[in-house]
Amino acid sequence: MAEKKIWTMKRALWSMALAAAICMTLGVTASAEDSIRIGKGDLALRVEKDPFQLVVTDAQGREILATDGPVCYTRVTGQRTWRLVLWWLWNRGIAEPWTRLDKVTSVAEEDGRLLVGLGSGRGDKTLAELEAYFIGDKSLKVEMKAAGETGANRFRVRFKKDRDDRYFGMGERYNSAEQTGRKVRVWTEEGGLGLYNWSKYVKLPFNPFPLGEEMTYYPVPFFLNPAKGYGFLLDDDRFSEFDFGKTIGSRLSIVNWNDKFDFVVFGGPSPLEVIENQTAYTGRITVPTPWAFAPMNAAVESQDRVLEVARLLREEGIPTTAIWSESWWWRVEWEVNRELYPEYEKMNDELHDMGFRHLSYYQPYITKGVKAYEEGDAKGYFIKDKKGRTYDFTLGLWEKAQLDLTNPEARNWWKREFFHKSEEMGADGWMHDFGEHIPPDSVAHDGRTGWELHNDYVLLWHELGREFWDEARPDGDYFIYVRSGYTGAQKYVSVMWTGDQNTNFEKLDGLAANVPAILSVGISGHPIGTTDIAGFNCFVSKDTDRELFMRWTELGAMLPVMRIHRGQDEFCDNWSFDQDPETLEHYKKYAVLHTSLFPYFYTLAMEAQETGRPVTRHMMLHYPEDPEAWNQDYQYLIGDRLLVAPVIERGAREREVYFPPGEWVHWWSGRKYSGPGREVVPAPLGEVPLFLEAGKMLPLFDGPIDTLAKEDDPEIRGWDEANSSIQVRGYGIEKDEFTLWDGTVLTYDAEKGAGSASNAPVERKYDFDIE
């Protein structure tokens, strides 16, 4: 009997030693009584067994994310939608009681992955399964899913929220780049209509109309917490809601409308490192053609107006490459409007001869009754209703059908019949618009319902555009840009714009709204954002006037892509860039300034391609130790050395600016401002508050430029001439180094009194203008 006990004990010890060796090899440690831990690099996950809890810690062992109470799932039935124009007015159905997952029922390890069974109460039955594993040394993936045939379609996870926790991102958000204390819906939708004239004095919960501040074309279920140095992505494409302490101040609650809850935690600890790790997972941009970074103009009235604008721009020496004409197809999709553009192809040839590129317009919809609708309907190329019929929906004044992007034949049909013909007629790209209107009760070719497809549809739309142009022009000589998006959209289309803003200064849907929108989407993974100069909707405000146009031009020039939009031209009489001599001179000044910044913008775009870092950056990203920098939603950094504080109020001729640590030199006067601290700076019409950090150099194109497209005509100053000379500007530099997009290393040493350029693959002249 004694020998048997000894053998049993030896076998147990041997088993424990073997298990420990396996766990140590995989970074897993286990306690039979309390918890399981998996760790790698800078992150670790601890699973408490009873009661169940997930805890993520950083390299210092600090708790950065921990569940608060049990994980839960439920099933919702009877959810209904209204089919007409108000299909977004869906109710929430009837929910069964939440099933609480509060204990661990099993633990296993397989190929470096931790597998955990979750149960409820006193029973031993596994009701959900958890799988955790590392993606490199900086990212931790956790997948939870209801087990068996539960019919679950809602999963809820609550996390602890400490007093210092702050949450930035969540895609494009117009109210603020930070969402702490708010409840945020993650659902792509047509942007709201700001009710500025009715909400100046009373806060309306449905402003912007109809669903309030949460409305956005481009949500991303990702937030960055600079207080603890991590990022969090809900890795799903279904509807979800994040409650950042609005309901309970000490809790972050997330509900995902699915039978699973997958998320990724991205380590840092710096905010920029978090973004790098997030975009390594979700995807990064491909830098567009250089001419996309030249100013873009718009002309929608007619072919004659397009050519008039083109000739004026060249006569006035206003650098421009692309001219955008949305109206080329009005009103039959997608055929040339021969009343407005009788010789559309010839017009495009003339534009090309003058060094321009032509941008057109597309959305994935077909109006009911036109010839293309009949063909697509007959072949089953459109999204359907539950009875298998084409699902028509109302958009504006028209009944539309939308392309079924899950159907390969429909995709090829669209590329062949529309995209290809447009490119043949001379288009060099387009505004790749819309995609947000998949009704929840629709059905796609691949069997997904609208609930399942809705957020993913915009990605499929962007993928189609990118797919076509990469096939048509593998050299990359094209440009498309989008307004809608979801997680990973940036890997298909590099540039997004902020959608249809009101023609006023308001903070939720006017000029001011663009700043937090671009900053928040940059934090969320899309590094290049732009805006419509000068607004779109005039339904609830007056038409764009001269002051609004000029201030919006100042903002637009300080973004990597600068572009005019003529607005809702059928209803608005918006101010034009050439409406009077003062406006024309103002626009030229900022078009020249924007073009001169190309070497810096393009270098930052290349950096975004490599690292995911946004070109225009919230100040928190560079000053995470400065809490005041976290609060700046209406000023921003371009890269790490330019500070911009656009004027966002009508009539303002000065602007309060928060200066972070360091010395900052006013672009226009050369006056120096020291931070940290606030100062009121002059901002007359025509002088955007712009500052270069002392001690850092800035590369600029320094010659007159017509276009950033390659040109053979010696009378047109194109890419080769623009890239032949660079001025390097700076103040108070002791030593600095800057590497241009092409590998040229610029260095300056005050002791030597001169700068130099090395490893330059292109012959160009460098002029170091250092004060």
Side-chain angles (χ1 to χ4, degrees):
M1 180 68 84
E3 289 182 1
K4 183 175 182 181
K5 285 184 178 179
I6 291 172
W7 167 242
T8 302
M9 185 178 296
K10 284 182 177 180
R11 185 170 59 182
L13 290 171
W14 171 249
S15 299
M16 290 172 63
L18 181 61
I22 294 172
C23 289
M24 288 175 67
T25 301
L26 299 168
V28 179
T29 57
S31 165
E33 296 180 357
D34 300 319
S35 63
I36 317 107
R37 181 184 180 277
I38 178 170
K40 187 177 181 184
D42 292 342
L43 294 176
L45 173 69
R46 186 175 77 250
V47 180
E48 300 291 344
K49 290 185 174 181
D50 194 3
F52 165 70
Q53 186 186 29
L54 289 178
V55 180
V56 182
T57 56
D58 64 10
Q60 287 72 45
R62 297 177 305 173
E63 181 180 294
I64 60 174
L65 185 69
T67 56
D68 183 17
V71 170
C72 302
Y73 66 73
T74 187
R75 183 167 70 122
V76 174
T77 57
Q79 191 169 19
R80 298 179 180 274
T81 64
W82 283 261
R83 174 163 179 163
L84 302 178
V85 65
L86 302 182
W87 60 259
W88 40 262
L89 285 176
W90 32 263
N91 64 29
R92 303 221 164 199
I94 301 171
E96 296 177 357
W98 289 98
T99 297
R100 297 161 56 92
L101 306 172
D102 54 12
K103 63 181 293 186
V104 171
T105 58
S106 63
V107 178
E109 178 280 323
E110 185 178 299
D111 298 328
R113 299 180 176 225
L114 181 64
L115 308 176
V116 178
L118 301 178
S120 180
R122 297 181 180 179
D124 294 328
K125 183 178 180 181
T126 295
L127 301 177
E129 297 164 343
L130 181 152
E131 185 173 340
Y133 54 94
F134 285 92
I135 307 167
D137 292 336
K138 293 282 190 176
S139 304
L140 168 68
K141 178 85 179 273
V142 177
E143 301 174 357
M144 289 185 280
K145 183 176 176 61
E149 300 297 326
T150 63
N153 54 18
R154 302 288 188 275
F155 225 106
R156 184 183 72 197
V157 179
R158 292 167 170 169
F159 297 98
K160 293 180 182 178
K161 177 184 172 297
D162 295 332
R163 181 176 299 178
D164 294 334
D165 284 330
R166 305 274 290 271
Y167 306 100
F168 290 79
M170 297 303 294
E172 168 196 64
R173 300 291 167 178
Y174 301 99
N175 52 8
S176 174
E178 180 183 357
Q179 299 303 318
T180 310
R182 295 184 168 97
K183 184 181 283 188
V184 180
R185 181 176 62 250
V186 182
W187 188 249
T188 59
E189 54 198 327
E190 181 91 17
L193 180 66
L195 302 178
Y196 178 72
N197 289 339
W198 291 278
S199 60
K200 289 181 182 178
Y201 309 107
V202 179
K203 183 176 175 62
L204 303 173
F206 49 84
N207 178 33
F209 181 82
L211 298 177
E213 296 181 16
E214 299 171 62
M215 298 187 72
T216 180
Y217 306 97
Y218 195 149
V220 180
F222 169 83
F223 65 79
L224 192 158
N225 185 339
K228 291 181 177 172
Y230 76 93
F232 176 100
L233 173 71
L234 179 61
D235 197 12
D236 205 308
D237 54 17
R238 304 290 181 87
F239 180 97
S240 60
E241 288 180 302
F242 287 63
D243 187 335
F244 292 104
K246 180 177 181 179
T247 303
I248 298 175
S250 61
R251 178 182 289 164
L252 159 63
S253 179
I254 305 172
V255 178
N256 189 38
W257 290 26
N258 206 341
D259 66 342
K260 62 181 182 175
F261 193 100
D262 298 348
F263 65 92
V264 187
V265 178
F266 303 98
S270 75
L272 286 171
E273 288 177 296
V274 172
I275 293 174
E276 287 185 34
N277 294 323
Q278 190 257 47
T279 55
Y281 181 76
T282 60
R284 293 177 179 150
I285 67 165
T286 300
V287 175
T289 174
W291 58 256
F293 296 85
M296 302 182 189
N297 214 300
V300 298
E301 296 88 342
S302 65
Q303 174 179 313
D304 290 342
R305 174 60 178 165
V306 171
L307 295 174
E308 177 190 10
V309 166
R311 292 171 187 135
L312 177 64
L313 291 168
R314 291 290 178 257
E315 290 167 4
E316 294 292 332
I318 300 175
T320 310
T321 301
I323 295 181
W324 175 64
S325 304
E326 178 183 12
S327 57
W328 74 275
W329 61 278
W330 290 351
R331 283 288 179 222
V332 178
E333 296 103 344
W334 294 98
E335 299 176 11
V336 177
N337 184 326
R338 294 297 177 182
E339 293 182 11
L340 294 179
Y341 298 89
E343 297 178 295
Y344 181 69
E345 297 86 347
K346 182 179 178 182
M347 178 196 79
N348 289 332
D349 289 341
E350 289 189 47
L351 290 175
H352 291 149
D353 289 343
M354 288 188 281
F356 292 102
R357 296 292 184 267
H358 170 65
L359 299 182
S360 61
Y361 176 92
Y362 277 103
Q363 52 183 248
Y365 310 134
I366 296 286
T367 302
K368 188 174 183 179
V370 304
K371 181 180 178 182
Y373 176 95
E374 302 301 332
E375 181 181 355
D377 180 53
K379 294 182 177 180
Y381 289 163
F382 299 134
I383 294 291
K384 294 181 170 53
D385 63 20
K386 291 180 179 179
K387 295 182 179 180
R389 302 170 300 193
T390 292
Y391 196 130
D392 300 321
F393 75 104
T394 303
L395 182 64
L397 303 176
W398 302 277
E399 284 292 301
K400 301 272 188 176
Q402 45 202 319
L403 180 67
D404 190 339
L405 289 163
T406 73
N407 183 340
E409 292 183 8
R411 294 169 67 95
N412 290 331
W413 172 70
W414 192 278
K415 287 194 295 183
R416 181 181 65 251
E417 294 299 318
F418 305 122
F419 288 172
H420 176 69
K421 290 180 179 178
S422 187
E423 196 265 346
E424 273 194 330
M425 290 187 291
D428 302 288
W430 48 66
M431 176 186 280
H432 200 69
D433 205 359
F434 280 90
E436 311 94 342
H437 288 270
I438 292 292
D441 59 338
S442 61
V443 181
H445 175 77
D446 67 356
R448 279 188 284 176
T449 68
W451 288 116
E452 299 165 314
L453 178 64
H454 185 93
N455 286 334
D456 193 38
Y457 186 87
V458 296
L459 301 183
L460 296 174
W461 173 230
H462 303 341
E463 180 188 42
L464 186 70
R466 172 71 178 273
E467 186 180 288
F468 167 78
W469 279 107
D470 281 351
E471 293 168 357
R473 296 189 184 178
D475 62 354
D477 187 26
Y478 68 87
F479 178 57
I480 60 176
Y481 54 104
V482 301
R483 77 173 188 187
S484 60
Y486 196 70
T487 306
Q490 68 274 0
K491 65 179 176 279
Y492 300 119
V493 180
S494 305
V495 178
M496 57 78 62
W497 96 99
T498 53
D500 300 341
Q501 307 302 301
N502 283 341
T503 53
N504 56 34
F505 284 86
E506 69 173 290
K507 286 191 172 182
L508 291 178
D509 192 25
L511 182 152
N514 291 278
V515 184
I518 289 171
L519 298 184
S520 56
V521 82
I523 291 169
S524 306
H526 207 129
I528 303 179
T530 182
T531 178
D532 288 339
I533 302 174
F536 181 78
N537 285 318
C538 60
F539 295 135
V540 296
S541 56
K542 296 179 180 178
D543 302 338
T544 296
D545 60 12
R546 182 166 63 183
E547 181 180 2
L548 181 62
F549 181 91
M550 293 173 79
R551 289 303 194 192
W552 216 310
T553 297
E554 293 170 12
L555 169 63
M558 293 296 100
L559 298 173
V561 173
M562 178 185 183
R563 43 175 294 279
I564 287 179
H565 194 306
R566 283 293 295 132
Q568 205 157 30
D569 200 60
E570 293 173 292
F571 307 103
C572 313
D573 186 18
N574 288 336
W575 198 263
S576 175
F577 81 103
D578 59 342
Q579 196 148 333
D580 67 14
E582 183 181 357
T583 308
L584 183 64
E585 188 60 31
H586 176 87
Y587 179 74
K588 177 178 179 179
K589 172 182 176 179
Y590 278 92
V592 169
L593 173 59
H594 176 86
T595 307
S596 73
L597 286 167
F598 174 88
Y600 188 49
F601 278 133
Y602 201 64
T603 298
L604 292 173
M606 284 294 185
E607 181 183 345
Q609 180 174 271
E610 295 300 318
T611 68
R613 296 184 177 192
V615 175
T616 45
R617 300 173 184 173
H618 195 285
M619 294 179 65
M620 170 271 297
L621 298 179
H622 279 281
Y623 300 95
E625 304 302 322
D626 180 5
E628 189 61 29
W630 297 12
N631 300 325
Q632 307 308 314
D633 269 338
Y634 298 100
Q635 61 181 65
Y636 58 91
L637 297 166
I638 303 175
D640 66 345
R641 57 197 63 202
L642 278 178
L643 172 62
V644 186
V647 176
I648 57 173
E649 295 180 1
R650 179 175 292 282
R653 296 299 181 264
E654 59 184 17
R655 164 76 202 259
E656 184 180 73
V657 179
Y658 175 73
F659 292 97
E663 193 169 57
W664 300 84
V665 183
H666 189 240
W667 187 267
W668 310 105
S669 69
R671 179 182 169 183
K672 296 178 181 178
Y673 295 86
S674 296
R678 296 177 178 273
E679 289 206 45
V680 175
V681 303
L685 201 60
E687 289 189 8
V688 63
L690 173 64
F691 308 87
L692 174 61
E693 186 175 6
K696 293 184 177 179
M697 65 175 71
L698 185 73
L700 302 164
F701 277 164
D702 62 350
I705 298 167
D706 291 320
T707 177
L708 289 179
K710 274 193 166 291
E711 265 306 314
D712 297 326
D713 188 337
E715 296 187 3
I716 299 174
R717 296 164 295 194
W719 168 253
D720 291 333
E721 188 168 346
N723 196 32
S724 66
S725 177
I726 284 181
Q727 179 189 56
V728 183
R729 184 171 175 177
Y731 304 89
I733 298 177
E734 304 253 339
K735 287 185 178 181
D736 192 26
E737 183 175 288
F738 187 88
T739 303
L740 291 173
W741 75 91
D742 62 2
T744 302
V745 181
L746 305 174
T747 58
Y748 185 82
D749 190 332
E751 291 182 7
K752 297 178 181 179
S756 63
S758 59
N759 304 325
V762 177
E763 278 192 34
R764 57 164 85 90
K765 180 182 71 176
Y766 299 92
D767 176 18
F768 285 79
D769 183 14
I770 309 298
E771 296 181 12

